[in-house]
Amino acid sequence: MSKPQKITPFLWFDHQAEEAAGFYTSVFRNSKIDRVLHFGEQVGVVDFSLDGQGFNAMNAGPAFQLNPTISFFVVCETEAETDEVWGKLRKAEGCSCASTNTHGAKNTAGCRTAMA
């Protein structure tokens, strides 16, 4: 039995949790939506993983707006992978991307995101 992940980032949305999880899993390889929980007829929580790192996305209503304080720092194996991830992230509405190769790290893409 594998050891459970100790810390899981939890992203709060108005009503876009499933859409956001779908977007993120389309950007990163080896990623998937693991489970979708419903609150009545509505999507409540989406558990997903990005290359093995678990995340949760929750529809919490308009009182909890996602903001650009979440950041992803991605280390890629090749420059081609960096370009692929970078290109997908830059197309996202509300994504403000930092320059690749920041802090002297090779093959990295950084993105601060607040999906609308």
Coordinates of all heavy atoms in Angstrom, one line a residue, residues 18-64:
E18 N -14.3 21.7 -11.7 CA -14.2 20.6 -12.7 C -13.5 21.1 -13.9 O -12.6 20.4 -14.5 CB -15.5 20.0 -13.0 CG -15.4 18.7 -13.8 CD -16.7 17.9 -13.8 OE1 -17.8 18.5 -13.7 OE2 -16.6 16.7 -14.0
E19 N -13.9 22.3 -14.4 CA -13.3 22.9 -15.6 C -11.8 23.1 -15.3 O -10.9 22.8 -16.2 CB -13.9 24.2 -15.9 CG -13.3 25.0 -17.1 CD -13.9 26.4 -17.3 OE1 -14.9 26.7 -16.6 OE2 -13.4 27.1 -18.1
A20 N -11.4 23.6 -14.2 CA -10.0 23.9 -13.9 C -9.2 22.6 -13.8 O -8.1 22.5 -14.3 CB -9.9 24.7 -12.5
A21 N -9.8 21.6 -13.1 CA -9.1 20.3 -13.0 C -8.9 19.7 -14.4 O -7.8 19.2 -14.7 CB -9.9 19.3 -12.2
G22 N -9.9 19.8 -15.3 CA -9.8 19.4 -16.7 C -8.7 20.1 -17.4 O -7.9 19.5 -18.2
F23 N -8.6 21.4 -17.2 CA -7.5 22.2 -17.9 C -6.2 21.7 -17.4 O -5.3 21.4 -18.2 CB -7.7 23.7 -17.6 CG -6.5 24.5 -18.0 CD1 -6.3 24.7 -19.4 CD2 -5.6 25.0 -17.1 CE1 -5.1 25.4 -19.8 CE2 -4.5 25.7 -17.5 CZ -4.3 25.9 -18.9
Y24 N -6.0 21.7 -16.1 CA -4.6 21.4 -15.6 C -4.2 20.0 -16.0 O -3.1 19.7 -16.3 CB -4.6 21.5 -14.0 CG -4.7 22.9 -13.5 CD1 -5.6 23.3 -12.6 CD2 -3.8 23.9 -14.0 CE1 -5.6 24.6 -12.1 CE2 -3.8 25.2 -13.6 CZ -4.7 25.5 -12.6 OH -4.8 26.8 -12.2
T25 N -5.1 19.0 -16.0 CA -4.8 17.6 -16.4 C -4.5 17.6 -17.9 O -3.8 16.6 -18.3 CB -5.9 16.6 -16.0 OG1 -7.1 17.0 -16.5 CG2 -6.0 16.5 -14.5
S26 N -5.0 18.5 -18.7 CA -4.7 18.5 -20.1 C -3.3 19.1 -20.4 O -2.7 18.9 -21.4 CB -5.7 19.3 -20.9 OG -5.6 20.7 -20.7
V27 N -2.8 19.9 -19.4 CA -1.5 20.6 -19.6 C -0.3 19.6 -19.3 O 0.7 19.6 -20.0 CB -1.4 21.8 -18.7 CG1 0.0 22.4 -18.7 CG2 -2.4 22.9 -19.2
F28 N -0.4 18.9 -18.2 CA 0.7 18.1 -17.6 C 0.5 16.6 -18.0 O -0.5 16.1 -17.8 CB 0.8 18.3 -16.1 CG 1.1 19.8 -15.8 CD1 0.0 20.5 -15.3 CD2 2.3 20.3 -15.9 CE1 0.2 21.9 -14.9 CE2 2.5 21.6 -15.6 CZ 1.5 22.4 -15.1
R29 N 1.6 16.0 -18.4 CA 1.6 14.6 -18.7 C 1.4 13.8 -17.4 O 1.7 14.3 -16.3 CB 3.0 14.2 -19.3 CG 3.2 14.9 -20.6 CD 4.6 14.6 -21.1 NE 4.9 15.4 -22.3 CZ 6.1 15.5 -22.8 NH1 7.1 14.9 -22.3 NH2 6.2 16.2 -23.9
N30 N 1.0 12.6 -17.6 CA 0.7 11.7 -16.4 C -0.2 12.3 -15.4 O 0.1 12.2 -14.2 CB 2.1 11.3 -15.8 CG 3.0 10.7 -16.8 OD1 2.7 9.8 -17.5 ND2 4.3 11.2 -16.8
S31 N -1.2 12.9 -15.9 CA -2.2 13.6 -15.0 C -3.6 13.1 -15.2 O -3.9 12.6 -16.3 CB -2.1 15.1 -15.2 OG -0.8 15.6 -15.0
K32 N -4.4 13.1 -14.2 CA -5.8 12.6 -14.4 C -6.7 13.2 -13.3 O -6.3 13.6 -12.2 CB -5.8 11.1 -14.3 CG -5.3 10.6 -12.9 CD -5.3 9.0 -12.9 CE -4.9 8.6 -11.5 NZ -5.1 7.2 -11.3
I33 N -8.0 13.1 -13.6 CA -9.0 13.4 -12.6 C -9.3 12.1 -11.9 O -9.6 11.1 -12.5 CB -10.3 14.0 -13.3 CG1 -10.0 15.4 -13.8 CG2 -11.4 14.1 -12.2 CD1 -11.1 16.1 -14.5
D34 N -9.1 12.1 -10.6 CA -9.2 10.9 -9.8 C -10.7 10.6 -9.3 O -11.1 9.5 -9.3 CB -8.3 10.9 -8.6 CG -6.8 11.1 -9.0 OD1 -6.4 10.2 -9.8 OD2 -6.1 12.0 -8.5
R35 N -11.4 11.7 -9.0 CA -12.7 11.6 -8.4 C -13.4 12.9 -8.4 O -12.8 13.9 -8.2 CB -12.6 11.1 -6.9 CG -13.9 10.9 -6.2 CD -13.7 10.2 -4.9 NE -12.8 11.1 -4.0 CZ -12.7 10.9 -2.7 NH1 -13.4 10.0 -2.1 NH2 -11.9 11.7 -2.0
V36 N -14.7 12.8 -8.7 CA -15.6 14.0 -8.7 C -16.7 13.7 -7.7 O -17.4 12.7 -7.8 CB -16.2 14.3 -10.1 CG1 -17.1 15.5 -10.0 CG2 -15.1 14.5 -11.1
L37 N -16.8 14.5 -6.6 CA -17.8 14.4 -5.6 C -18.9 15.5 -5.9 O -18.5 16.6 -6.2 CB -17.2 14.6 -4.2 CG -16.1 13.6 -3.8 CD1 -15.5 14.0 -2.5 CD2 -16.7 12.2 -3.8
H38 N -20.1 15.1 -5.7 CA -21.2 16.0 -5.9 C -21.9 16.4 -4.6 O -21.9 15.6 -3.7 CB -22.3 15.4 -6.8 CG -21.8 15.2 -8.2 ND1 -21.0 14.2 -8.6 CD2 -22.0 16.0 -9.3 CE1 -20.7 14.3 -9.9 NE2 -21.3 15.4 -10.3
F39 N -22.3 17.7 -4.5 CA -23.2 18.2 -3.4 C -24.5 18.3 -4.1 O -24.8 19.2 -4.8 CB -22.7 19.5 -2.9 CG -21.3 19.5 -2.4 CD1 -20.6 20.7 -2.4 CD2 -20.7 18.4 -1.8 CE1 -19.3 20.8 -1.8 CE2 -19.4 18.5 -1.3 CZ -18.7 19.6 -1.3
G40 N -25.4 17.3 -3.9 CA -26.7 17.2 -4.6 C -26.4 17.1 -6.0 O -25.7 16.1 -6.4
E41 N -26.9 18.0 -6.9 CA -26.8 17.9 -8.3 C -25.5 18.6 -8.8 O -25.1 18.4 -10.0 CB -28.0 18.5 -9.0 CG -29.3 17.8 -8.7 CD -29.4 16.4 -9.4 OE1 -29.0 16.3 -10.5 OE2 -29.9 15.5 -8.7
Q42 N -24.9 19.3 -7.9 CA -23.7 20.2 -8.3 C -22.4 19.5 -8.0 O -22.3 18.8 -7.0 CB -23.8 21.5 -7.6 CG -25.0 22.3 -7.8 CD -25.2 22.7 -9.2 OE1 -24.3 23.2 -9.9 NE2 -26.4 22.6 -9.7
V43 N -21.4 19.7 -8.9 CA -20.0 19.3 -8.6 C -19.6 20.0 -7.3 O -19.7 21.2 -7.2 CB -19.1 19.5 -9.7 CG1 -17.6 19.3 -9.3 CG2 -19.5 18.7 -10.9
G44 N -19.0 19.3 -6.3 CA -18.6 19.9 -5.1 C -17.0 19.9 -5.1 O -16.4 21.0 -5.0
V45 N -16.4 18.7 -5.1 CA -15.0 18.6 -5.0 C -14.5 17.7 -6.1 O -15.1 16.7 -6.4 CB -14.6 18.0 -3.6 CG1 -13.1 17.8 -3.6 CG2 -15.1 18.9 -2.5
V46 N -13.3 18.1 -6.7 CA -12.7 17.3 -7.7 C -11.3 17.0 -7.2 O -10.5 17.9 -6.9 CB -12.6 18.1 -9.1 CG1 -11.9 17.2 -10.1 CG2 -14.0 18.5 -9.5
D47 N -11.0 15.7 -7.1 CA -9.6 15.3 -6.8 C -8.9 15.0 -8.1 O -9.4 14.2 -8.9 CB -9.7 14.0 -5.9 CG -10.4 14.1 -4.6 OD1 -10.5 15.3 -4.1 OD2 -10.9 13.1 -4.1
F48 N -7.7 15.5 -8.2 CA -7.0 15.3 -9.5 C -5.5 15.2 -9.1 O -5.0 15.7 -8.1 CB -7.3 16.3 -10.5 CG -6.9 17.7 -10.2 CD1 -5.8 18.3 -10.8 CD2 -7.7 18.5 -9.4 CE1 -5.5 19.7 -10.5 CE2 -7.4 19.8 -9.1 CZ -6.3 20.4 -9.7
S49 N -4.7 14.7 -10.1 CA -3.3 14.6 -9.9 C -2.6 15.1 -11.1 O -3.0 14.9 -12.2 CB -2.8 13.1 -9.5 OG -3.3 12.3 -10.5
L50 N -1.5 15.8 -10.8 CA -0.6 16.3 -11.9 C 0.7 15.7 -11.8 O 1.5 15.9 -10.8 CB -0.5 17.8 -11.8 CG -1.8 18.6 -11.8 CD1 -1.5 20.1 -11.6 CD2 -2.6 18.4 -13.1
D51 N 1.0 14.7 -12.6 CA 2.3 14.0 -12.6 C 2.5 13.4 -11.2 O 3.6 13.4 -10.7 CB 3.4 14.8 -13.1 CG 4.6 14.0 -13.5 OD1 4.4 12.8 -13.8 OD2 5.7 14.5 -13.6
G52 N 1.5 12.8 -10.6 CA 1.6 12.2 -9.3 C 1.3 13.1 -8.1 O 1.2 12.5 -7.0
Q53 N 1.3 14.4 -8.3 CA 1.1 15.3 -7.2 C -0.4 15.5 -7.0 O -1.1 15.9 -8.0 CB 1.7 16.6 -7.4 CG 1.3 17.8 -6.5 CD 1.8 17.6 -5.1 OE1 2.9 17.3 -4.8 NE2 0.9 17.8 -4.1
G54 N -1.0 15.2 -5.9 CA -2.4 15.3 -5.7 C -2.9 16.7 -5.5 O -2.2 17.5 -4.8
F55 N -4.1 17.1 -6.0 CA -4.7 18.4 -5.8 C -6.2 18.1 -5.5 O -6.7 17.1 -6.0 CB -4.6 19.3 -7.0 CG -3.2 19.8 -7.3 CD1 -2.2 19.0 -7.9 CD2 -2.8 21.1 -6.9 CE1 -1.0 19.5 -8.2 CE2 -1.6 21.6 -7.1 CZ -0.6 20.8 -7.8
N56 N -6.8 19.1 -4.9 CA -8.3 19.1 -4.8 C -8.7 20.5 -5.3 O -8.1 21.5 -5.0 CB -8.7 18.9 -3.3 CG -8.3 17.6 -2.7 OD1 -7.4 17.5 -2.0 ND2 -9.0 16.6 -3.1
A57 N -9.9 20.4 -5.9 CA -10.5 21.7 -6.4 C -11.9 21.6 -5.8 O -12.6 20.6 -5.9 CB -10.5 21.8 -7.9
M58 N -12.4 22.7 -5.2 CA -13.7 22.8 -4.6 C -14.5 24.0 -5.1 O -14.0 25.1 -5.2 CB -13.5 22.9 -3.1 CG -14.8 23.0 -2.3 SD -14.6 23.1 -0.6 CE -16.2 23.0 0.0
N59 N -15.8 23.7 -5.4 CA -16.7 24.8 -5.7 C -17.3 25.3 -4.4 O -18.0 24.6 -3.7 CB -17.8 24.3 -6.6 CG -17.3 24.0 -8.0 OD1 -16.5 24.7 -8.5 ND2 -17.9 23.0 -8.7
A60 N -16.8 26.5 -4.0 CA -17.2 27.0 -2.7 C -18.1 28.2 -2.8 O -18.4 28.8 -1.8 CB -15.9 27.4 -1.9
G61 N -18.5 28.6 -4.0 CA -19.4 29.7 -4.2 C -18.6 31.0 -4.3 O -17.4 31.1 -4.2
P62 N -19.3 32.1 -4.6 CA -18.7 33.4 -4.9 C -18.0 34.1 -3.8 O -17.2 35.0 -4.0 CB -19.9 34.2 -5.4 CG -21.1 33.6 -4.8 CD -20.8 32.2 -4.7
A63 N -18.2 33.6 -2.5 CA -17.5 34.2 -1.4 C -16.0 33.9 -1.4 O -15.2 34.6 -0.8 CB -18.1 33.8 -0.1
F64 N -15.6 32.9 -2.1 CA -14.2 32.5 -2.2 C -13.7 32.5 -3.6 O -13.8 31.5 -4.3 CB -14.1 31.1 -1.6 CG -14.6 31.0 -0.1 CD1 -15.8 30.5 0.1 CD2 -13.8 31.4 0.9 CE1 -16.3 30.4 1.4 CE2 -14.2 31.4 2.2 CZ -15.5 30.9 2.5

